[in-house]
Amino acid sequence: MRYTARMARILVIDDNDTMREGMTITLKKAGHEVLAFRTGAEGVTAFVSKGADLVVTDLKMDGVTGHDVVKQVRAHDAQAVVLMVSGHGSITDAVQAMQLGACDFIEKPFPPDVLRAKVDAALELSRTRARVVKLEATTEALSSELSRKGGGTIVGDSAPVLKLLAQVKRAAATDATVLVHGESGTGKELVARMLHEQSPRASGPFIVTHCAALAETLLESELFGHERGAFTGAVKKKLGRFELADGGTIFLDELGEISPTVQTKLLRVLQEHEIQRVGGEDTVKVNVRVVCATHRDLKAEVAAGRFREDLYYRLHVVPLELPALRERPEDIGTLARHFVAKHAPRINGEVKSLSAGAISALCRYAWPGNVRELENAIEQSLVFAEGKELEEKDLPAFLQSAAARATQTQGALPVPHGDRPLPDILEDLERQLIERAYEKARKVKTETARLLGIKTSALYYKLEKYGFIQKGERPPEE
Ligand SMILES: Nc1ncnc2c1ncn2[C@@H]1O[C@H](COP(=O)(O)OP(=O)(O)OP(=O)(O)O)[C@@H](O)[C@H]1O
Ligand SMILES: [Mg+2]
């Protein structure tokens, strides 16, 4: 935050030198930063370029009047708080100013303590509005990230995992920037959350931004915020993720994908601990710990001229390397049991454990998609498992040995036969799979889609295709 709780930036606009100077002195004495202007035009320009917590303006002025100031300032920032100063006998004008959006008015002449009291009340309103803006932005940021899985801890007792856990613990205690590197699904986001949760910032916000998912200009305004009117569609001021993460941690996922412009801005935050909103001139101090993740080899990106070298060294303060699952096969059994315990209560309450055969089938596979792929495989198996123990025959076909596939009996999908063409056979299988998942999920579409690992839109298409729902049916649950 730019100010301490009581201090604020106030613009004072009055064409009467004595009045303007008097108000400036009173407000400076009260500890505020005051910018004073003789004309409405200068005042509005300053508000647009620098921003302010409060505008105190005289009503009757040549050129841009107090009414114009209220209108123009609030057109730029609908949350702006304006206090009107009106000369004796112009109460009707003052009332009109309030209708335009001024929060209050003071009638001249007034003693300093009346000005201070009115300014205090107006600043309280200004702070409340700022809190609302921040809350709205935080809610938006959180809800856009809610679908992403969070929480939990690194499971595994192999040497690489124990080493990683010790590194995480040490890094969490510091405020150093951490660069997490690892293949897809190795737990980069999980580690980032642990770094936050084990750090002294744990009670502060943890804000995730998936850098590869957004176009360059969007990412810039997402991270650093923008002023109203900064670009087409910027209808109101927006706080960026760095401001939202103030006092906590920001996690920049897929950082290897960011453009040179965003790289430069990021370097500035890391060096100066301050940001500039898109379309704004003011700098805002932020107190944020940065954790980044990438599956790319950033050093190679630097060598190829795609990533700034100075930024690389700034990010590389504490590098954490996440081992691929194939480098620690001894963790597969532990992880698989962990995922059965985690997901069975929700997907299939019958299943309590994993058979030895299932575990050895899991250990035979190379897991290119790492822990995420293993987790998905267990979730899928739980959908179709029938007994108390998850068996090899319940696993997705690519994990089963030929022998296990041959032993599939009841509950398994019937093997198609005859001279039917392959596409028909595949459709048949697909229809049966969808039907089972749909039943299992008690016809909740989002859950069915999740069980099958496909998008809800794709599921609708399939449900229509196989006649489980009417064409165009979109029930209110979605
Ligand atoms: N060691 C682990 N112990 C327990 N769960 C893990 C472990 N590693 C990963 N997971 C789980 O696997 C899933 C994928 O992890 P995460 O999203 O952190 O991976 P990622 O490296 O960020 O993947 P991507 O590069 O695809 O974004 C999550 O549900 C996470 O909880
Ligand atoms: Mg990730």
Side-chain angles (χ1 to χ4, degrees):
M1 273 277 107
R2 203 167 353 122
Y3 303 110
T4 59
R6 301 218 57 77
M7 189 194 176
R9 176 185 290 172
I10 303 174
L11 300 192
V12 170
I13 310 170
D14 200 319
D15 56 358
N16 180 307
D17 295 345
T18 318
M19 276 303 297
R20 189 178 63 250
E21 280 155 21
M23 289 196 281
T24 304
I25 290 168
T26 305
L27 296 176
K28 276 191 173 165
K29 267 193 194 155
H32 300 301
E33 177 192 356
V34 181
L35 306 177
F37 301 94
R38 254 193 46 89
T39 67
E42 286 171 305
V44 171
T45 308
F47 181 83
V48 170
S49 63
K50 298 195 167 75
D53 301 288
L54 172 66
V55 177
V56 180
T57 180
D58 184 27
L59 176 60
K60 288 239 181 314
M61 292 183 290
D62 288 339
V64 176
T65 67
H67 284 160
D68 300 328
V69 170
V70 181
K71 269 194 271 182
Q72 291 174 19
V73 158
R74 295 202 22 114
H76 179 73
D77 179 356
Q79 309 300 326
V81 179
V82 184
L83 179 59
M84 185 69 70
V85 179
S86 72
H88 190 67
S90 51
I91 294 299
T92 339
D93 288 336
V95 170
Q96 193 193 340
M98 288 181 71
Q99 281 164 350
L100 288 173
C103 71
D104 199 356
F105 67 91
I106 320 180
E107 203 182 325
K108 292 185 204 171
F110 50 81
D113 55 337
V114 169
L115 176 67
R116 272 197 301 269
K118 294 264 183 189
V119 161
D120 281 351
L123 283 175
E124 196 46 50
L125 176 68
S126 169
R127 285 183 200 111
T128 307
R129 286 185 182 169
R131 273 198 293 273
V132 170
V133 168
K134 186 159 181 172
L135 262 175
E136 277 176 3
T138 309
T139 313
E140 198 186 305
L142 286 178
S143 61
S144 73
E145 298 299 344
L146 265 186
S147 55
R148 310 187 63 169
K149 288 180 196 167
T153 180
I154 290 283
V155 173
D157 36 32
S158 62
V161 166
L162 295 180
K163 182 175 154 208
L164 176 69
L165 284 170
Q167 287 173 326
V168 167
K169 194 169 170 208
R170 271 204 307 277
T174 74
D175 230 9
T177 304
V178 178
L179 178 63
V180 187
H181 178 254
E183 288 177 18
S184 175
T186 44
K188 297 187 289 294
E189 183 161 343
L190 190 59
V191 162
R193 280 182 196 277
M194 285 172 70
L195 282 168
H196 173 70
E197 278 156 19
Q198 294 181 15
S199 79
R201 295 171 172 268
S203 60
F206 177 75
I207 301 285
V208 181
T209 299
H210 190 57
C211 300
L214 300 167
E216 174 181 343
T217 47
L218 225 84
L219 176 63
E220 214 181 319
S221 90
E222 216 34 65
L223 289 177
F224 308 108
H226 62 243
E227 297 293 345
R228 180 191 160 101
F231 47 83
T232 324
V235 287
K236 60 178 185 177
K237 170 175 148 181
K238 180 182 161 96
L239 296 185
R241 301 280 170 106
F242 270 97
E243 280 177 89
L244 297 179
D246 201 38
T249 307
I250 190 164
F251 173 47
L252 303 174
D253 202 2
E254 297 298 357
L255 180 91
E257 324 295 312
I258 62 175
S259 69
T261 319
V262 179
Q263 289 180 28
T264 308
K265 283 199 147 189
L266 186 56
L267 185 66
R268 175 168 176 180
V269 190
L270 293 171
Q271 279 170 345
E272 320 284 341
H273 306 286
E274 63 186 28
I275 56 126
Q276 212 167 19
R277 296 190 197 110
V278 177
E281 288 175 10
D282 223 10
T283 52
V284 182
K285 282 270 172 221
V286 287
N287 167 17
V288 175
R289 198 252 178 109
V290 179
V291 177
C292 309
T294 180
H295 64 277
R296 286 186 190 273
D297 178 353
L298 275 197
K299 194 124 208 216
E301 294 295 299
V302 170
R306 285 190 293 265
F307 203 86
R308 289 183 68 128
E309 188 170 21
D310 43 7
L311 178 59
Y312 171 75
Y313 285 111
R314 279 271 166 187
L315 297 173
H316 206 256
V317 183
V318 179
L320 286 182
E321 188 64 41
L322 299 202
L325 192 50
R326 65 182 167 282
E327 291 161 18
R328 48 188 184 104
E330 61 271 43
D331 285 334
I332 293 176
T334 319
L335 279 164
R337 277 190 290 270
H338 166 72
F339 292 132
V340 167
K342 177 174 166 191
H343 298 295
R346 187 174 45 85
I347 302 176
N348 187 339
E350 288 291 297
V351 179
K352 305 287 178 222
S353 60
L354 261 161
S355 75
I359 292 184
S360 48
L362 294 171
C363 291
R364 280 197 301 268
Y365 184 66
W367 300 107
N370 294 294
V371 185
R372 174 177 295 116
E373 190 183 10
L374 173 60
E375 183 168 8
N376 287 346
I378 298 291
E379 285 187 75
Q380 272 183 39
S381 313
L382 284 168
V383 176
F384 303 118
E386 309 246 289
K388 282 191 181 333
E389 206 174 49
L390 197 75
E391 292 180 46
E392 186 179 353
K393 71 170 174 54
D394 302 317
L395 299 176
F398 68 92
L399 291 168
Q400 296 177 22
S401 63
R405 278 200 293 273
T407 63
Q408 284 184 340
T409 52
Q410 277 183 344
L413 293 170
V415 179
H417 52 82
D419 298 330
R420 298 166 61 210
L422 186 63
D424 285 5
I425 299 172
L426 287 176
E427 279 204 343
D428 228 32
L429 280 171
E430 186 178 66
R431 189 182 53 72
Q432 291 176 54
L433 267 172
I434 288 173
E435 186 174 10
R436 283 196 190 179
Y438 196 38
E439 291 302 323
K440 191 107 209 167
R442 294 187 198 83
K443 305 209 164 153
V444 177
K445 315 285 187 301
T446 44
E447 180 64 10
T448 313
R450 207 190 54 74
L451 289 176
L452 292 165
I454 61 176
K455 287 197 170 139
T456 314
S457 52
L459 176 72
Y460 268 107
Y461 168 77
K462 305 271 183 205
L463 288 174
E464 277 175 8
K465 177 177 168 189
Y466 295 118
F468 294 117
I469 59 170
Q470 302 279 327
K471 227 174 164 43
E473 187 184 326
R474 292 289 182 276
E477 67 167 283
E478 260 76 38

